[in-house]
Amino acid sequence: MLTLKTPLKNIPKILPKYHKILDKLELRTVEDLLSYFPFRYDDFSQTAEISPKYLNQTVTIEGTVTKTKSARIPRRKMTITEITIEDDSEIPLKAVWFNQPFILESLREGTRARLSGKLALRGKTLQMSNPSWEKADRETTNTGCLVPVYGETAGLTSKWIRWQLKPLLETAKQMEDAIPYDIRQRLNLYDIYTALVQIHFPESREKLLRAQKRFAFQEMFLVQLRTLQIKARWEKNPALQIRFDEKLIQGFVKNLPFKLTDAQRKASFEILKDLEKPTPMNRLLNGDVGSGKTIVAAIASLQAASSGFQTAIMAPTEVLARQHFESFCKIFENYAINISLLTNSYKLISTAQESGNKNLEIENYSRNVINTSRPELLETINNGTIQITIGTHAIIQKDVQFKNLALIIIDEQHRFGVAQRAYLQQETMDVRDGQKKTIPHLLTMTATPIPRTLAIAMFGSLELSILDEMPKNRKEIVTKIIPAKIRQEAYDFIRQQIQAGRQAFVILPLVEDSKALTELKAATSEHQRLSAEIFPDLRLGLLHGKLKSKEKEEVMQKFKDGGFDILVATSVVEVGIDIPNASVIVIEDADRFGLSQLHQFRGRVGRGEHQSYCLLFTNSNTEKALERLQAMEDTSDGFEISQKDLELRGPGQFFGLVQSGLPDIAMEHLSNIKLIKFARAEAQTILTTDPGLQKHPLIVQALQKFQEKIHLE
Ligand code: ADP
Ligand code: MG
C-alpha cells in the first residue's frame, strides 16, 4: 500500500531517469512531494468558445482536432508543431508549439482536446502559442481550472509534477494534523487533507485562499510556539548587570564628529537601561539603512567594556564583519579598548595602550592593528585582553571561549527571518561566555524597517527600539523610473558618473519560473551584453549566487578597492557592504521586486559624500506596476515604504520565510495581521496548559520538521 513514507523511487510510474532530479530537490517520499507547493497558478478557469471576442484573454476552449502538422526548421534547429482545432462556432483555431513534436502522438486528427492559453490573432487566423493542453476525456488538470505552477528544474516540468501528484493525493488522508481540532474549529481552518488538495488543485479562488490561509496560520503558529518557548527559557536566566556610567557615555557622545539624532539618543538610553537589569536584555533595534545603528551598538559595547565585560558582534558576512571592525577601531580611537576581528580569512587585533585611566579615555593615541593566528587570538579572547570581538556568526558557535561575555550584538542586515532569529537567540544562551550562572544580553539590529503594527503583533513580547529618523546631513537619493525607451540616456548618465570617478551597481532580478534561463545564465549574459555592447571600455565585475562565499567576498572587496567601475550582481547576492564611492544603482526589471527590497537596494548608494541615484529600469507598462514604483520616487522613508509593501504584499516577506523555502505564497496572500495575532494567542493558550507540549506530540513533530527546514547555514 502507498503510504506517506513510501519512497518515490518505488512508484513504478516515476521512471528511473527522474530519481536523481527528485533527489536534488530533496523530494524523496510521497509526503515530500505532497509538501512541494506550487509557487503560482495559471488561471485557465474561464472556458469559452472560439471567437474573436476573447482576443488577448486567457481562456480554455474545447474542440476536435481537424488538422495536424509538424515541421523541422534545420536552420534554426527547431521543430514547429501545429494543430487546427474547431468547436461548435466553426471558427478554426490554430495552436503552435516549439520543439514538442511528441504532442501529435496524443492529439491526432479527430481527437477531442482542451487548450488553455492567450488568444491572439495572426493574420486572419485565431491562434494560441504554446498553450497548455490535454485530451478532453481527462479530468481537468492542465487546462480548464486554476493550474498549479511549480518551481521547475531542468527535466522536471510542472505538467509532470501535476500528473504524478494527482493520484498521490489520496495518501494525504493518512496525514495527521498538527493543528489541533479545536483551533481549526475556532478559526474555521481547513483540515490538512482538504488544504493539501486545494493548494495543489484548487476548485476555486476562494478555496485556494482558504488553503493558503491554513498553511500561513500553521507557519505562524509554529513560529510563535517556538518563540514563546525560547522566551520562557530565556527569562529563567539571570544576566550580568552593567552599571550605566553617565559621565563616560556623555563624554563619548560629546566627542563624536556629529550630533546624535533624537532617535539614536532614545534607543541608546533604552539599551543602557536594559543592561543595568539582572535579567538578560532581548531587544530589537529596528532602523532603516543609514539610520546610524552602528554608533548605538558602539555605545552599548563601550558601557560593557567600562564595567570590564566583553562584547561579541556578529555580522552576516566576512566583508561586513571587517567593515564593522574598521568602524569600531575608528569610533574608539581614543579609548583603551582592544578590538579583534575573527573570521575565516581575518585574525586581527587592534590594540590600545592600557592607560590606567578609569574612564577608558586616552588622548592622542593611534591604534595599532596586528595580524595574528587563530590560537593566539582565541587566547586573548579567553584571558580577557580583548573587550570587543567582531566576526561572523561562527564566533558564538565554535571553539571561542570568552572570559566574561556580557553582551551579544547581531547585525543581521535583514538576513534572518523571525524563525531563524528565535533559534539564534537559543544559540546565544549556549555561548561559552565564561559565566556559570548568567547568559549574555542580546541586541539584534535589523535593517528592514518593520511597520509598527506588524512589529507589535509579531514581537508583542520583545523589546523594540526604533530609529525612525535619519541623520540630518543626508542627501536624498534621486530615484527615477526608466522605461525602455530612455534606457540609452540612462546608460549615458552612468557613463558620465563613472567618468567623474564614481562607481555603479547593476542589480538583476532572480529568474524564477523560466526553464530557459537560470540565475547564472541570466547574470552572465547581461554581464556580457553590458561589457560588449554598452560599456566596452569600462571594467565590469560579476557577482552571483553560484560563486563560493570566498569568491563573492573577493569580488566585493575588489569593487570596494576601485577595481571595477560597475558591479553586475543578481538579487540573491547580499550587497550589504559600504561602497562610499558608488553613486548609481540600476535595478533591472524593478517591477518584479517588492518595495522593501527595492528600498534595501537603494540604500547601497548614498553612503558617501556624492549625490546618488537609483534608476528603476522597467519593461512593464501596467498601471499597477508603475504606480508601485512611483512610491519609490515619492518617498525615501523606509517605514512608509514598508507600510505600503505590507498593504500590497502581506506580511510574509518580513519574516524571511521566502528565503527559507517555506511556502511563502501562503503568506503573500494574507495582508491582514489578525492571523498573526490569532496564532500568537493560540500558541500562548497551549503553552499555559502544556508548557512542555507533552500532550501535543504532533506539534512537537511539526516543530522538529520546521527546525530542520529553517536551520541556520
Ligand atoms: P546603519 O544603520 O545602516 O548601520 P551606520 O551605522 O552604518 O548605519 O551609519 C551610516 C553612516 O552615518 C555612518 O557613516 C555613520 O558614521 C553616520 N552617522 C551615524 N549617526 C549619525 C548622525 N547622528 N549624524 C550624522 N552622521 C551619522
Ligand atoms: Mg549597519
Side-chain angles (χ1 to χ4, degrees):
M1 196 188 77
L2 218 54
T3 72
L4 292 166
K5 298 280 165 259
T6 305
L8 294 171
K9 279 191 206 133
N10 296 0
I11 297 176
K13 195 174 151 192
I14 299 181
L15 301 177
K17 68 170 176 176
Y18 290 104
H19 293 172
K20 220 170 157 179
I21 308 172
L22 289 167
D23 209 55
K24 211 166 132 200
L25 291 171
E26 293 184 29
L27 301 175
R28 303 202 171 100
T29 62
V30 168
E31 188 172 9
D32 292 342
L33 197 59
L34 288 172
S35 314
Y36 191 61
F37 290 176
F39 74 91
R40 66 176 173 86
Y41 299 82
D42 282 331
D43 190 349
F44 294 149
S45 54
Q46 194 195 350
T47 51
E49 75 263 4
I50 301 175
S51 156
K53 75 175 178 224
Y54 296 108
L55 211 58
N56 295 324
Q57 292 183 40
T58 300
V59 291
T60 298
I61 61 98
E62 186 177 324
T64 307
V65 178
T66 55
K67 245 191 266 165
T68 67
K69 190 169 109 190
S70 207
R72 270 191 58 74
I73 305 182
R75 195 166 40 87
R76 291 167 67 187
K77 295 206 176 93
M78 188 154 87
T79 309
I80 295 187
T81 303
E82 241 178 58
I83 67 166
T84 305
I85 193 164
E86 280 179 46
D87 64 3
D88 294 340
S89 70
E90 289 179 12
I91 304 174
L93 169 75
K94 213 190 236 179
V96 183
W97 292 269
F98 302 101
N99 293 330
Q100 301 184 48
F102 54 85
I103 285 176
L104 293 190
E105 289 164 27
S106 305
L107 301 186
R108 298 162 200 261
E109 263 173 54
T111 319
R112 280 196 70 79
R114 275 189 305 270
L115 303 180
S116 296
K118 201 176 194 179
L119 214 57
L121 200 61
R122 271 290 157 85
K124 282 185 181 156
T125 321
L126 285 174
Q127 182 170 322
M128 276 185 188
S129 142
N130 267 324
S132 191
W133 60 273
E134 67 201 342
K135 286 195 190 176
D137 56 2
R138 286 246 182 138
E139 218 183 318
T140 54
T141 302
N142 301 306
T143 67
C145 56
L146 281 170
V147 174
V149 181
Y150 297 87
E152 297 181 344
T153 126
L156 210 59
T157 63
S158 283
K159 192 165 184 168
W160 186 88
I161 296 174
R162 291 194 280 267
W163 183 58
Q164 295 293 349
L165 250 174
K166 209 156 203 183
L168 298 180
L169 280 177
E170 265 310 278
T171 25
K173 284 191 177 145
Q174 302 164 18
M175 224 178 248
E176 294 180 288
D177 208 319
I179 305 182
Y181 177 76
D182 58 318
I183 297 184
R184 277 186 277 138
Q185 284 302 85
R186 251 195 310 278
L187 299 179
N188 197 14
L189 298 172
Y190 274 151
D191 61 81
I192 182 73
Y193 171 72
T194 313
L196 273 174
V197 170
Q198 294 301 327
I199 204 112
H200 286 296
F201 299 102
E203 284 165 27
S204 67
R205 286 239 161 242
E206 289 67 42
K207 290 187 177 177
L208 172 61
L209 203 65
R210 237 181 113 183
Q212 290 176 328
K213 179 171 148 194
R214 187 226 130 95
F215 288 112
F217 177 84
Q218 183 169 328
E219 301 294 336
M220 266 304 114
F221 179 60
L222 294 177
V223 169
Q224 297 285 4
L225 274 172
R226 195 46 114 205
T227 312
L228 289 170
Q229 273 186 323
I230 291 170
K231 178 172 184 268
R233 239 194 96 196
W234 182 261
E235 285 167 351
K236 278 199 201 121
N237 295 284
L240 290 168
Q241 284 176 267
I242 306 172
R243 199 180 60 81
F244 180 10
D245 183 341
E246 246 181 283
K247 226 178 119 213
L248 169 78
I249 301 298
Q250 272 170 5
F252 172 77
V253 169
K254 212 175 73 210
N255 284 326
L256 286 173
F258 46 75
K259 216 171 145 259
L260 288 186
T261 63
D262 288 341
Q264 281 172 317
R265 254 172 224 286
K266 181 152 174 269
S268 307
F269 187 73
E270 287 165 344
I271 292 165
L272 294 171
K273 279 289 170 197
D274 277 359
L275 294 178
E276 283 197 307
K277 293 182 189 149
T279 47
M281 166 171 79
N282 180 18
R283 189 173 277 279
L284 188 68
L285 179 58
N286 187 197
D288 209 343
V289 178
S291 59
K293 292 183 286 293
T294 313
I295 207 75
V296 176
I299 288 173
S301 54
L302 172 63
Q303 186 62 83
S306 81
S307 300
F309 298 132
Q310 292 173 305
T311 299
I313 301 175
M314 310 189 319
T317 64
E318 290 206 355
V319 179
L320 284 168
R322 183 170 147 184
Q323 188 172 300
H324 274 316
F325 177 73
E326 283 160 8
S327 307
F328 272 72
C329 290
K330 196 148 162 241
I331 291 169
F332 291 131
E333 205 160 13
N334 294 318
Y335 286 81
I337 294 176
N338 297 326
I339 305 169
S340 73
L341 176 62
L342 176 59
T343 73
N344 282 335
S345 323
Y346 308 114
K347 281 101 197 150
L348 302 176
I349 301 180
S350 167
T351 52
Q353 262 167 350
E354 278 302 335
S355 64
N357 179 344
K358 260 214 136 131
N359 286 337
L360 290 176
E361 290 172 65
I362 38 181
E363 264 165 48
N364 303 327
Y365 179 76
S366 65
R367 286 189 161 265
N368 186 20
V369 177
I370 52 166
N371 236 310
T372 178
S373 67
R374 188 175 173 89
E376 259 176 294
L377 185 45
L378 291 183
E379 175 53 27
T380 54
I381 291 172
N382 188 229
N383 67 22
T385 312
I386 305 283
Q387 282 93 22
I388 300 177
T389 301
I390 300 171
T392 51
H393 114 265
I395 58 170
I396 63 156
Q397 283 190 319
K398 289 195 182 147
D399 49 346
V400 187
Q401 165 78 60
F402 290 87
K403 177 166 181 245
N404 56 7
L405 181 67
L407 171 64
I408 296 180
I409 299 174
I410 304 176
D411 188 7
E412 63 175 26
Q413 303 272 0
H414 79 283
R415 254 276 280 257
F416 300 122
V418 268
Q420 282 101 327
R421 188 176 302 143
Y423 288 107
L424 204 56
Q425 185 184 350
Q426 183 167 324
E427 276 183 12
T428 62
M429 273 186 259
D430 306 326
V431 177
R432 306 208 289 170
D433 60 353
Q435 302 297 298
K436 282 224 168 57
K437 298 221 170 63
T438 59
I439 62 168
H441 295 283
L442 177 61
L443 176 65
T444 312
M445 306 197 287
T446 159
T448 314
I450 304 169
R452 197 179 274 271
T453 47
L454 183 61
I456 290 168
M458 193 60 219
F459 315 106
S461 58
L462 188 89
E463 306 307 322
L464 201 61
S465 291
I466 299 180
L467 298 185
D468 51 5
E469 186 187 354
M470 282 295 189
K472 296 259 154 14
N473 57 357
R474 289 295 141 75
K475 285 200 188 90
E476 192 126 330
I477 297 165
V478 176
T479 303
K480 274 250 161 305
I481 301 171
I482 310 285
K485 60 175 190 293
I486 58 168
R487 224 163 223 264
Q488 190 52 48
E489 283 169 53
Y491 286 136
D492 294 343
F493 176 76
I494 294 168
R495 177 178 293 281
Q496 280 166 24
Q497 287 284 311
I498 288 166
Q499 274 160 0
R502 303 286 82 76
Q503 288 163 285
F505 289 101
V506 174
I507 306 291
L508 306 175
L510 183 60
V511 182
E512 49 186 17
D513 62 342
S514 149
K515 270 179 284 183
L517 284 176
T518 64
E519 177 218 338
L520 180 59
K521 266 197 214 155
T524 318
S525 69
E526 181 65 7
H527 176 259
Q528 269 166 5
R529 187 184 76 86
L530 290 173
S531 308
E533 292 169 25
I534 314 282
F535 303 114
D537 51 330
L538 301 179
R539 299 161 303 161
L540 276 70
L542 174 62
L543 194 63
H544 57 76
K546 294 283 176 303
L547 292 177
K548 297 206 183 73
S549 64
K550 188 140 196 286
E551 296 168 325
K552 278 186 218 159
E553 307 247 332
E554 280 166 14
V555 175
M556 283 309 298
Q557 196 60 48
K558 188 165 173 197
F559 187 50
K560 188 171 180 159
D561 296 340
F564 299 120
D565 302 305
I566 299 177
L567 184 68
V568 179
T570 56
S571 56
V572 283
V573 173
E574 195 75 36
V575 279
I577 190 179
D578 260 4
I579 315 278
N581 191 44
S583 67
V584 188
I585 185 160
V586 170
I587 302 167
E588 272 288 352
D589 289 324
D591 48 283
R592 293 172 60 172
F593 292 97
L595 291 179
S596 297
Q597 218 183 343
L598 290 174
H599 182 68
Q600 283 291 329
F601 285 130
R602 177 163 64 181
R604 293 300 116 224
V605 295
R607 300 185 76 89
E609 75 252 39
H610 314 290
Q611 174 60 52
S612 295
Y613 305 86
C614 172
L615 307 180
L616 305 171
F617 281 22
T618 175
N619 296 312
S620 171
N621 293 318
T622 69
E623 212 160 292
K624 217 168 134 199
L626 294 177
E627 187 192 308
R628 223 161 53 84
L629 292 181
Q630 188 63 42
M632 292 295 297
E633 274 192 13
D634 293 346
T635 180
S636 56
D637 180 331
F639 282 94
E640 210 174 295
I641 286 171
S642 68
Q643 179 60 40
K644 182 126 199 176
D645 211 16
L646 176 65
E647 287 157 20
L648 288 168
R649 290 199 307 158
Q653 27 134 3
F654 291 100
F655 302 137
L657 297 178
V658 178
Q659 298 158 11
S660 60
L662 295 172
D664 50 292
I665 186 156
M667 294 301 298
E668 276 182 19
H669 286 258
L670 298 156
S671 57
N672 90 55
I673 51 179
K674 260 198 235 140
L675 181 100
I676 301 168
K677 289 190 179 156
F678 283 138
R680 188 172 189 88
E682 295 291 355
Q684 213 135 24
T685 310
I686 286 195
L687 288 175
T688 1
T689 54
D690 184 16
L693 294 174
Q694 278 96 347
K695 288 186 222 117
H696 295 89
L698 288 175
I699 294 183
V700 173
Q701 243 179 51
L703 280 170
Q704 248 152 23
K705 259 202 214 149
F706 188 67
Q707 176 151 13
E708 282 161 25
K709 270 205 262 181
I710 58 170
H711 64 280
L712 300 161
E713 31 157 41

